[in-house]
Amino acid sequence: MRLTRLLLNGILGVCLVAPLSAQGVLTVPRTIVAGSAFSVQTGGSGPGTLYVVGPNQVVKMDIQLGSALEIAAGTLYNAGHYLVFVSGSSENASLDVTPANKPADVSFLARPSRLPVGLRGGITGAVYLFDLYKNLYTAPTPVAFQLSTPAGTVQSRSITTRNGAAWIAMDSSPKVGAAQFVARVGDISATRVIGQVPGDPCGLQMTAKAAGQKVEVETAPVRDCSGNAVPDGTIVTFTEVYNGVQATVDVPLKRGVARVEMPAYPGAMITVASGVVLGNQIRWGR
Amino acid sequence: MTRFVFIAIAALGTTGTVATAQATVHVQPSQVDGPRPLADQTAKAVVEDYVEAWQTMRTALDQNRIDVLDRDFVGNAKDKLTETIRQQTNAGIHTNYQDRSHNVQIVFYSPEGLSIELTDNVEYEEQVLGKEKVLTAQHVSAHYVVMLSPSETRWKVRIFQAGNE
């Protein structure tokens, strides 16, 4: 008897807590495109509240149960998985929001911003595609990469994205100057400027001549291996060894050459270098 | 904070499973697209930090606290979670995302080393609560695409998006 009363109270309690009007069918599309309009069909009657809940967005709307509810375009725009339910009902449904139908933004990271000429695979670019709502656009999409230099050389390649990302490596050109590095998808593009500077000196050569009690040593115009002039200010190191004593002088390039006077010891060995690049050596005559 | 042990998995480059107090984490061998070699230690750290980010997200969305996101989220992912927490607060609800299992694979390591992308076939329980009452609950299987960026001390989630495989 007591058990029967408890059961009856329980059933009545449930009926009071859960509005009858909320019971019934909840129909939502399985998948929609981000930002698009969609329709939700609820059962029951009377006023209710619709929830669309996911980690990336929450929508709460007062609705009239038992009718088709049109959710306006732009309401649900973050891609992801959502749980849809009506207050007072245990019923729920799943809704997946996919990124919009085309990419709207190219996030392009190019490195480095400056590098020596003639470096194979020295320039890299990574691209991430996003739709209008900043969802990662994951559909495989060809990205056209183009690296063009002031000298008119152009490298072009197309790479298809995987999981919204693509990368490329390109060679720096033989000539110095600012290169335009472009990533393009359809009518959207992003451009980065890559500074191409001369490489290390190549074929470093010096000559020596007497200058009173001293010897004057001077380099030929210093160029990299592609023939570009190495910038003024680059340090050239002259070293003189005589009787086991070493003297070193660092000289910055001025107008493309480095020049210095050193003690004129007969039989002294004079060498020239710049960074890790060694030039010729001269034994000063007796 | 739950600790994870991925060393054997990463070092052997084979599939492995690690049971944690919170979720089972299954790590697939990396199939990295990109010119940059992925060190085992990096792979291990990325997966650890990612799984810990789920705990942070759970706390943030359960307690409607934006302040806890900083540790594990940045950029786009942080912005969207912040927006969600504000929307939950306005709607008078909070949510409990309890991850049960992760099946993770690292798929992209950018040439300059500033982002790593992984996919995760994750299973979790989602509960929506109003005050202390459960409004609804669901078991979810979802495919996530996640991008992480290095910060001073850890990898932070920059993109966190469920979608079709």
Side-chain angles (χ1 to χ4, degrees), chain A residues 86 101 189 203 222 254 261 271:
Chain A
V86 174
N101 287 328
S189 66
V222 180
K254 274 187 189 170
E261 289 185 348
T271 58

Side-chain angles (χ1 to χ4, degrees), chain A residues 23 30 48 66 134 145 161 167 177 183-184 202 228:
Chain A
Q23 303 297 315
R30 186 69 189 85
K134 296 184 179 174
F145 291 96
T161 58
W167 70 276
R184 178 174 283 107
C202 199
N228 301 293

